[in-house]
């Protein structure tokens, strides 16, 4: 009887062990299925994230390209507007200069002819059209005929001293009315004695009658004799080339 009881207990333990093993196996299989399912879901989520990221990158790239295109278009329009504005301003400035010339020449035809001469002259000098026109107008206003040769002689002297042509034109005009102080800027000292005027330049003293034509002739001769090519030399500098381009 004792032996039968021991055998029964052994079989019971075996059945219990088998049942527990089956339960553990079932739990492991269930957990494994859950893990696999979770992994699959995670993998799908990662794929979705990757797809969304690619779509977002593509959208950003498209938006950037569109924005760059808009910026280029805007800059192009702004440049075109700026160019049109610059042309219009230049046209208005030239019209004002023509009006000045008409005042001193007396007619549209004479003003147009003078302006063409001034533009041609300006294209080979370091001086701007506006300043040459001012010099032309000042000379004409006091009865001095501003020929291209006179303007060139005055311009060469002005360029030699790093001045603008209208500065020397003003100094010449002043000398004809007895105001000689500005000539000192160009190394010329004047002395008036009654109806005579003396000019000292480079240590040489020249005396003449206080006659407008004589005074203009002498002061122009300085440019022709001592500073010929002064404008051409200044035109080769960066500042002179920039002025010609204007």
């Amino acid at each position: 009887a004792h032996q039968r009881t021991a055998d029964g207990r052994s079989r019971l333990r075996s059945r219990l062990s088998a049942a527990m093993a089956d339960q553990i196996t079932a739990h492991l299989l269930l957990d494994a299925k859950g893990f696999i399912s979770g992994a699959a879901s995670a993998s799908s989520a990662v794929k979705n994230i990757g797809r969304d990221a690619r779509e977002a990158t593509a959208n950003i790239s498209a938006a950037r390209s569109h924005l760059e295109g808009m910026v280029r278009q805007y800059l192009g329009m702004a440049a075109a507007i700026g160019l049109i504005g610059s042309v219009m301003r230049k046209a208005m400035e030239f019209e004002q200069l023509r009006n000045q010339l008409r005042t001193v020449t007396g007619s549209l035809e004479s003003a147009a002819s003078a302006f063409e001469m001034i533009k041609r002259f300006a294209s080979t000098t370091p001086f701007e059209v506006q300043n040459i026109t001012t010099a032309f107008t000042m000379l004409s206003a006091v009865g001095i005929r501003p020929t291209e040769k006179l303007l060139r002689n005055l311009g060469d002297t002005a360029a030699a001293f790093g001045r603008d042509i209208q500065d020397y034109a003003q100094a010449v005009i002043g000398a004809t009315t007895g105001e000689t102080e500005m000539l000192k800027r160009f190394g010329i000292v004047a002395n008036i004695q009654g109806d005579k005027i003396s000019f000292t330049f480079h240590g040489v003293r020249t005396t003449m009658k206080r006659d407008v034509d004589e005074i203009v002739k002498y002061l122009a001769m300085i440019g022709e004799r001592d500073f010929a090519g002064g404008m051409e030399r200044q035109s080769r500098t960066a500042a002179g080339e920039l002025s010609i381009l204007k």
Side-chain angles (χ1 to χ4, degrees), residues 4-72:
R4 286 195 298 274
T5 301
D7 291 339
R9 290 176 179 174
S10 177
R11 285 193 295 275
L12 178 61
R13 283 196 297 271
S14 295
R15 285 196 296 272
L16 289 173
S17 296
M20 291 178 65
D22 290 341
Q23 289 180 357
I24 292 172
T25 299
H27 282 298
L28 289 173
L29 288 173
L30 183 61
D31 290 342
K33 289 179 180 179
F35 176 77
I36 292 172
S37 177
S41 297
S43 177
S44 178
V46 169
K47 289 180 180 179
N48 290 337
I49 291 173
R51 185 185 66 249
D52 292 343
R54 287 192 296 274
E55 290 179 355
T57 300
N59 291 336
I60 291 172
S61 179
R64 183 176 63 186
S65 298
H66 180 65
L67 180 61
E68 289 175 349
M70 291 179 63
V71 170
R72 285 194 296 270

Side-chain angles (χ1 to χ4, degrees), residues 45-182:
V46 169
K47 289 180 180 179
N48 290 337
I49 291 173
R51 185 185 66 249
D52 292 343
R54 287 192 296 274
E55 290 179 355
T57 300
N59 291 336
I60 291 172
S61 179
R64 183 176 63 186
S65 298
H66 180 65
L67 180 61
E68 289 175 349
M70 291 179 63
V71 170
R72 285 194 296 270
Q73 185 178 11
Y74 172 78
L75 291 177
M77 291 176 62
I81 292 172
L83 179 60
I84 293 172
S86 177
V87 170
M88 291 180 65
R89 284 193 298 272
K90 184 63 68 176
M92 292 175 64
E93 288 175 3
F94 277 14
E95 186 61 29
Q96 291 175 351
L97 295 177
R98 290 189 186 94
N99 288 334
Q100 291 178 23
L101 292 172
R102 183 182 179 184
T103 300
V104 296
T105 60
S107 70
L108 285 173
E109 292 76 11
S110 297
S113 177
F115 195 56
E116 288 303 314
M117 183 272 284
I118 288 170
K119 288 193 295 182
R120 183 175 64 251
F121 178 71
S123 68
T124 60
T125 74
F127 308 125
E128 296 184 20
V129 170
Q130 291 87 338
N131 295 350
I132 298 171
T133 303
T134 299
F136 185 102
T137 303
M138 290 191 304
L139 292 167
S140 297
V142 295
I144 300 172
R145 184 166 174 263
T147 63
E148 187 170 351
K149 180 180 179 181
L150 176 61
L151 291 175
R152 187 165 299 280
N153 291 338
L154 300 185
D156 280 338
T157 300
F161 286 89
R163 296 278 182 173
D164 196 90
I165 188 172
Q166 65 181 2
D167 295 333
Y168 192 50
Q170 188 174 359
V172 171
I173 293 170
T176 64
T177 61
E179 299 175 4
T180 61
E181 188 65 26
M182 289 187 65

Side-chain angles (χ1 to χ4, degrees), residues 181-203:
E181 188 65 26
M182 289 187 65
L183 288 175
K184 293 180 181 179
R185 301 177 183 177
F186 302 92
I188 305 170
V189 178
N191 183 31
I192 298 174
Q193 297 176 334
D195 62 348
K196 301 286 186 180
I197 184 169
S198 298
F199 296 103
T200 303
F201 182 69
H202 283 178

